[in-house]
Amino acid sequence: MPDWKVHRAPTIQTELTVPGDKSISHRSVMLAAMSNGPCVIRGFLPSEDCLCSAAAMRALGVKIEQPEPETLIVHGTRRKFTVPEHDIDCGNSGTTMRLLCGILAGQPFRTRLVGDASLSKRPMKRVIEPLTQMGASIRAEGANDRPPLVIEGGPLKPIHFFSPVASAQVKSAVLLAGMFASGKTVVTEPIQSRDHTERMLEYFLVRPVKEDLTVSLYGGQTPESRDFQVPGDISSAAFWLVAAAAQPGAHLLVRDVGLNDTRTGILGVLVRMGAGVREVHKNDEAEPIGSIEIRGDRLKGTTIAGKEIPNVIDELPIIAVAGALAHGKTVIADAGELRVKETDRLAAIATNLRAMGAQVSETEDGLEIMGGAPLHGARLQSFGDHRIAMAFAIAGLFAEGETIIEDTDCVATSYPGFADMLEKIMHEPKSPQVPVITGLPA
Ligand code: S3P
């Protein structure tokens, strides 16, 4: 993909939708594959990461049709999988690899999971430890428990796992393994992380029990096949939410987006920063879906730390950009997890913000940004990380002169249509159908 060239955009007054939620798309194909019949999944995100999860389930013997890019028909195999003929390639996707570890821990065969250069540097001990306690054998071929992973699954015993990290991937891996264990598997996390796995298990009529930070389920249950609608991804919407929030006079409506309150932390952050934010729920079957309306303003700095971090973990790159555009200081703390994402996101954000003229200091687990200084265009790297590429494309909309984002192929992992929407925002920031948005549908 060519470099992106970004320049200042006129005031945004538009409505848009975003593609399906990445986290939910992964889970939908895995749980449907475990179910007892066909499930039609609509709104599936056909991005590289989620297609890796679909390909993995196919490699395990699951028939999956894709009549349209965003529709999958998954023929559940009642939790029975077949030995894959080759290694399973998880690409760039940590969610694919970690959640698959949970499923494969309970299978009576050996599987090897591989990933790209970035995934091969990501920590896997966090899933290896609990799954080993449950009885699986997982050998990491990379140094320090890094992929490739060779998994020898088998009969599992239930455990109560106290996760040291607030990670939905870890929680989900243990719960998925728990589906194959004999008895009650329990996971307690230190801070609430996204609860899509628990909700989807419930939707597929497996009964997890949730109590504060603890989730438990009994193994041996087969999910009941049901059709499923994936909502738009609030983490993809976040880029446009910030683009509008930081522009006085801007007005944006994002429709049909996921409003799960373990993911909407960005809205609270934008309210504290001074934007006008309204959220209207339309539907709440497996996952709440609705609209978000944003009115832009002069933003002010804020602090994001502690319990709020897991809720905004994927939005921190674009929140840091909002911090650079805001007046005053923005502090991000307790976010050491950003160092082990697709790249070291704290280092990548600090490098790129500095290149645009912002004043930033990097701490061990966060950033301090002195906002308000005018940003200037620069030639920036994505560091092979989709969210860094997109966050800095948005920064470029506010900079004096041209910003070039290099190495943008990585965006295909989560938001294949981002570049088209960016062009639209730069050249047609007013939607012809909705010149002025006066209200939201009930
Ligand atoms: C995800 C959980 C988060 C998030 C990632 C997707 C998921 O990772 O950053 O993009 O789908 O469960 P961690 O579980 O490592 O926090």
Side-chain angles (χ1 to χ4, degrees), residues 337-392:
E337 275 292 301
L338 287 190
R339 297 215 181 268
V340 290
K341 292 293 178 190
E342 286 81 333
T343 187
D344 176 344
R345 285 187 177 158
L346 293 175
I349 294 167
T351 303
N352 282 353
L353 281 181
R354 281 192 197 115
M356 299 184 88
Q359 215 185 310
V360 192
S361 53
E362 201 180 319
T363 62
E364 205 180 309
D365 66 356
L367 296 167
E368 287 191 13
I369 302 158
M370 278 312 299
L375 297 183
H376 55 74
R379 180 173 274 278
L380 303 175
Q381 285 183 55
S382 70
F383 299 91
D385 183 320
H386 54 136
R387 298 202 199 279
I388 297 296
M390 294 187 277
F392 282 90

Side-chain angles (χ1 to χ4, degrees), residues 112-169:
R112 186 164 177 269
L113 301 182
V114 299
D116 71 3
S118 154
L119 183 54
S120 300
K121 287 193 210 129
R122 298 185 65 185
M124 294 295 150
K125 189 169 175 195
R126 53 186 62 195
V127 289
I128 294 175
E129 253 176 23
L131 298 175
T132 305
Q133 283 173 30
M134 292 177 83
S137 149
I138 306 183
R139 183 167 56 83
E141 292 179 4
N144 301 320
D145 300 300
R146 272 28 182 196
L149 302 179
V150 179
I151 305 174
E152 309 254 6
L156 297 181
K157 56 176 188 288
I159 56 168
H160 186 161
F161 184 62
F162 291 86
S163 179
V165 275
S167 159
Q169 293 177 356

Side-chain angles (χ1 to χ4, degrees), residues 23 27 95 98 126 166-169 194 313-314 337 341:
S23 289
R27 288 158 172 80
T95 308
R98 294 192 179 120
R126 53 186 62 195
S167 159
Q169 293 177 356
R194 62 191 66 190
I313 192 75
D314 292 338
E337 275 292 301
K341 292 293 178 190

